[in-house]
Amino acid sequence: YRFLQVTALDRDSGLNEFITYYLANSADSPNFGMFPDGWLYVKHRLDRELRDSYFLQVIARDNGSPPRNATANVRVTVMDDNDNDPRFTQESYHFSLVENLPT
């Protein structure tokens, strides 16, 4: 699932101005991927109850020789989905009432 496209600009001309995007290796990067055109995508289902945010670093590399790089930080916040049923804190409730109480 693609969810964000990052964009970097390069003032060079010709082949040197073409930019390819990568994700830097981090503890969070295995959950995400990046297409060379700058689109970030999710590799598998994320669960907000397990983790609500991820931090990534994106690298933009031009086609020059030597190539030049720029980095940007991306914070991904996982929004909650209604994927859990309500649960009672007890399986059953027992109580007694005195008769003739006012209603």
Side-chain angles (χ1 to χ4, degrees):
Y1 174 77
R2 291 179 177 204
F3 65 92
L4 171 71
Q5 185 175 29
V6 297
T7 304
L9 301 175
D10 190 323
R11 291 183 165 181
D12 292 331
S13 61
L15 294 177
N16 293 347
E17 71 181 318
F18 292 108
I19 298 172
T20 304
Y21 300 89
Y22 305 89
L23 276 181
N25 288 330
S26 71
D28 293 343
S29 63
N31 298 298
F32 300 91
M34 172 150 270
F35 292 107
D37 63 357
W39 275 100
L40 277 164
Y41 65 92
V42 178
K43 288 185 176 180
H44 52 80
R45 186 177 178 275
L46 303 176
D47 188 344
R48 191 197 140 325
E49 282 76 27
L50 298 177
R51 183 142 182 217
D52 64 355
S53 63
Y54 296 84
F55 297 92
L56 305 171
Q57 187 174 62
V58 176
I59 301 167
R61 180 172 293 146
D62 71 10
N63 201 35
S65 180
R68 310 266 317 203
N69 298 324
T71 60
N73 296 315
V74 176
R75 179 180 179 187
V76 178
T77 302
V78 181
M79 299 184 63
D80 198 13
D81 189 19
N82 189 16
D83 59 348
N84 293 300
D85 298 329
R87 295 182 183 191
F88 286 100
T89 56
Q90 297 175 204
E91 190 174 305
S92 62
Y93 295 84
H94 303 279
F95 56 96
S96 301
L97 292 175
V98 178
E99 65 179 340
N100 297 324
L101 288 175
T103 58

